[in-house]
Amino acid sequence: MASYIAPEIRDKFETLSIDLKNVILQRNVQIRSLPDLIHILEQIVAEAEA
């Protein structure tokens, strides 16, 4: 499964750093809304803090 970023959220996604976008895309996630994006970012932060 490849990552998917919905067109409605792509403008927000594009404001992230290249490194962060790459980390998200490597996770094979489906981001269809802003809450989806926030959830993924929270996961990344939690893993970084662990």
Side-chain angles (χ1 to χ4, degrees):
M1 175 173 82
S3 288
Y4 171 77
I5 311 298
E8 305 82 39
I9 201 70
R10 189 165 295 276
D11 61 331
K12 302 267 190 282
F13 180 76
E14 291 300 329
T15 66
L16 302 173
S17 72
I18 290 284
D19 291 338
L20 189 51
K21 287 190 282 190
N22 287 337
V23 168
I24 292 169
L25 293 174
Q26 289 170 357
R27 290 172 175 253
N28 296 323
V29 293
Q30 303 290 303
I31 300 177
R32 300 181 184 280
S33 65
L34 186 56
D36 289 347
L37 179 58
I38 291 169
H39 179 72
I40 297 299
L41 292 171
E42 288 172 340
Q43 284 180 344
I44 293 168
V45 169
E47 290 169 11
E49 292 176 343

